Each structure stands twice: as structure tokens, then as C-alpha cells.
Amino acid sequence: MATLLRRASLRRAIASAAAASCPESYRQGICGSTFHCRDFATKGSKKKTKSSGTDSGEENMSKKDLALHQAIDQITSSFGKGAIMWLGRSEGHREVPVVSTGSFSLDMALGIGGLPKGRVVEVYGPEASGKTTLALHVIAEAQKHASYCAFVDAEHALDPSLAEAIGVDTSNLLLSQPDCAEQALSLVDTLIRSGSVDVVVVDSVAALVPKTELDGEMGDAHVALQARLMSQALRKLSHSLSLSQTILLFINQIRATVQTFGGFGGPKEVTSGGNALKFYASVRLNIRRVGLVKKGEETIGSQVNVKIVKNKHAPPFRTAQFELEFGKGICRNSELFELGLKHKLIKKTGGAYYSFNEQQFHGKDNLKNFLTANETVAKELEAELRRLIEAEAPKKQEAEDDLLDDLPEEIVRPETSSEEDLAAVIEA
């Protein structure tokens, strides 16, 4: 026992002497394992910091955002670039490109300056109301911008001399007179998919006869055959139209149906070709002749009223009036005269005398001839009218809103489904 105590005291003395002579080396020798463990922990933390730096973008995103980005990448890889996009961040058209109708008042009533590109447009009305004339004016305006146009003459009744008088370049106009509805709609689909035609006019929907009806006997009943064909065609054409920015203008006729239930039994006007065209059309124009233009005893034209029954780009149910001269088309100078008189840019001094641009004119025809001979003056008048109409539009809308606030609300019955009936109730 005494021997063990001597050895322990000897070891303590040796240790105290070594610590006194070299304290740093003693501490490192005794605690070296602890420091090595600390260095190892420090190296591991550095590696972890580097890996977290690479994934900092994913960590900053929430789980919902990360899942959305993965879904967008999967859709893009599966269906191609442009299959899905952010609406506000895309490089698409903020303003819809348009083609003028040839009528100044109708362009202003449409709210965007013309007919929208890449959309379906329907023009319908009774006979001899100016439907084909309006379509030819749209073609003429498109050709002014070096655009190619096509006219599908299903009625086989196009007059080339009238088209040339309106301003259509017939040498650069594609014309087709198809045998059946399937042929007409197939070639329309081919033209639109090409992406090189800006305006395609189909005249008219009522004349698109299905092949089954042509092969059948006279008097055979074909229930909703044309309506199903139009519905299928519009389903196929809607996507191609948006890509090619082509205006597909359908001219349609009206038919009278006798109501036996839910009304007084009076006739009701409907368009032919089913209801699909009503849904797919972005703009629907109801054109009607409301009067005649006479020069002495001779009738030289007709007064036309166009009601915008449907409009996806501006408020609908606006109207526009203009004159159609037989064999010439829309009289634009007559529109400028009437609008200038309304906005007091042209003043009536008394009798048949008018004052414009510090000049006196006797009669409306002399002033119209002056505008025809001086295109620069006519363009200046048009620009001033456009500025006045655009400036008055917000004030007019505020006045209408204040008037509507004072009126009691009226509920339209569910049986009233057509746009014309709804407009009549609203106007009443």
C-alpha cells in the first residue's frame, strides 16, 4: 500500500513539473481529442453551408409556388412553349388589332375602331339591307394594308363590278364558289391555317348546303344537319383564328318563326345555321334599311341603321347610321357631313346654306363634293370628329349611369333570350 502511494505522488510531481516547463504543449497533449472533434464539427458545418447556398432559391419559395413552377415546366415540355403563360407578363397584343369597316360612324360605335382580328364576326339582316356591301368594304380596307383576302361565294351571286366600284382589288382577291357546305368550310379552314389571309368572308351561312341534302331528294327532312355542321366547323376554326389573326366574317340571313307557346303567336326573327355562331361570334351586327335617299324623283341610295347586338370588346347595343349609294357603297363624306353638323363643326347659316372652314356652301351636295375633292380637309375633319367623340364618350357614360341610378330596376323574363328583345326592354 505504501508503494502505491509513493508511485502516485511521484506521477503527480512529474506532471506538475512538465506543466510548469511547457504549459501549451501539455494542454494540447491532454485535450487534443477534444479539439480534433471541434475541428471536425466546424468542417461539417462549412459543407452544410455550401449545400444550402445552392438550394437557397428553392428554400425561399413556398411549397405552393414550387409545385406551380414544376407544373408549368411539365406542361411546357409536353405541349410546347406558349401552351400556358402569365397573362400580364406575356408579350401578346395588349390592344386588339382591328380592320376598319369603311364606315366612320360604325368604327366609332364598335369602340375599338373596327372589326377585331382573330375573331368571328356575324353580319345579318333582311334582304337588300347592305350585308354584302359592308363585307366588301371590310375587304377593301384590309387590302389598303397589303393584306390578302378571300371571298367564299356560296350564293354564287357576287358582282365583280360592284366590288371594284367599292374599292376592292379584284386581281388580289381569292374567290371560291363551293359546291357544298363541307367543301366551303374545309377550304376556309385551310386558308386560315395558312396564316397568310387576313379576311375571309362567307356569303352566306344560309346558302351552305350539306352534301347529304344535295344528294337527297327534294322534300326530304334533314333535322338540324346544317346546325351540327356549323357547330363542328366553328369548334375547329376558333383555335386557328386566334393564331393566324384572321377575321372570319359570316353573312347570315334571317327567318321568321311563329311562336305558339310563351308569346302572343306573332312571328319572331331568327338566324339560320343554328345557335353555335351566336356563341362563337365576338361581334354581331344587325343591319337594316330604314329609309331611301332620293335626288329629285330618283332613288340613289338607302339609309342604313346598324345595331351592334353583341360586342366582346366594348359596350354593345350601340347604333350607327350611314348612307349606301347604289353602285358605289358607303358614302363616307355624307357621314362626315352629318357628324360635323351634329358636333357644330359645320354650321347651318340659313335655308340650304352651310358654313365650313370659313367658306359658304349652297346645299349638302356641294359640301360633299368639296370634301371629295379635298382629301386633306376631309381627313382633318375626321380627326377632329374622332377627338370630340372620344372626349365625349366618358361624359356620356357618366350621364347615362346617373340616369340609370334614378330609374327602378326591371327584371327581364327568362323567356326573353334574344339580344334584340333584351335591347328593347333596356331601351324601354
Side-chain angles (χ1 to χ4, degrees), residues 124-140:
Y124 68 96
E127 72 283 355
S129 57
K131 302 183 293 294
T132 304
T133 302
L134 182 60
L136 290 175
H137 271 283
V138 174
I139 292 176

Side-chain angles (χ1 to χ4, degrees), residues 87-108:
L87 178 60
R89 307 176 195 173
S90 61
E91 297 179 356
H93 296 285
R94 294 303 179 109
E95 295 183 358
V96 181
V98 297
V99 174
S100 175
T101 60
S103 168
F104 177 75
S105 57
L106 183 55
D107 288 344
M108 299 305 296

Side-chain angles (χ1 to χ4, degrees), residues 69-272:
H69 278 279
Q70 291 176 353
I72 292 174
D73 293 339
Q74 183 179 356
I75 292 172
T76 304
S77 61
S78 301
F79 303 105
K81 186 178 180 181
I84 188 169
M85 65 190 76
W86 297 101
L87 178 60
R89 307 176 195 173
S90 61
E91 297 179 356
H93 296 285
R94 294 303 179 109
E95 295 183 358
V96 181
V98 297
V99 174
S100 175
T101 60
S103 168
F104 177 75
S105 57
L106 183 55
D107 288 344
M108 299 305 296
L110 285 168
I112 54 176
L115 299 179
K117 286 187 175 182
R119 302 300 180 97
V120 178
V121 179
E122 183 185 10
V123 179
Y124 68 96
E127 72 283 355
S129 57
K131 302 183 293 294
T132 304
T133 302
L134 182 60
L136 290 175
H137 271 283
V138 174
I139 292 176
E141 293 295 328
Q143 286 182 338
K144 291 179 180 179
H145 301 282
S147 301
Y148 290 107
C149 303
F151 194 96
V152 181
D153 186 20
E155 294 184 354
H156 298 258
L158 178 64
D159 186 6
S161 60
L162 174 63
E164 291 177 354
I166 287 174
V168 176
D169 184 8
T170 54
S171 60
N172 289 325
L173 176 65
L174 293 170
L175 175 65
S176 174
Q177 294 181 331
D179 299 328
C180 59
E182 288 84 356
Q183 180 183 349
L185 295 173
S186 296
L187 67 90
V188 167
D189 186 22
T190 305
L191 289 173
I192 291 173
R193 288 179 183 273
S194 68
S196 57
V197 181
D198 286 355
V199 178
V200 177
V201 177
V202 179
D203 187 13
S204 63
V205 175
L208 296 176
V209 185
K211 191 175 181 180
T212 306
E213 187 175 343
L214 287 174
D215 296 339
E217 298 293 334
M218 194 71 68
D220 291 348
H222 303 280
V223 180
L225 187 61
Q226 189 185 37
R228 291 198 299 269
L229 182 62
M230 285 294 298
S231 180
Q232 181 186 13
L234 289 169
R235 285 198 302 269
K236 293 182 64 177
L237 292 171
S238 59
H239 178 65
S240 303
L241 281 173
S242 61
L243 295 178
S244 63
Q245 294 292 300
T246 303
I247 297 177
L248 180 56
L249 194 151
F250 284 100
I251 297 175
N252 210 344
Q253 301 175 6
I254 57 174
R255 299 288 186 266
T257 59
V258 178
Q259 291 181 342
T260 55
F261 301 100
F264 296 99
K268 179 183 177 182
E269 290 182 348
V270 294
T271 54
S272 57

Side-chain angles (χ1 to χ4, degrees), residues 124 269 284 286 307 309 317 418-425:
Y124 68 96
E269 290 182 348
R284 299 187 70 221
N286 184 3
K307 178 182 286 187
V309 175
F317 303 118
S418 64
E419 295 88 345
E420 293 84 353
D421 295 341
L422 288 173
V425 172

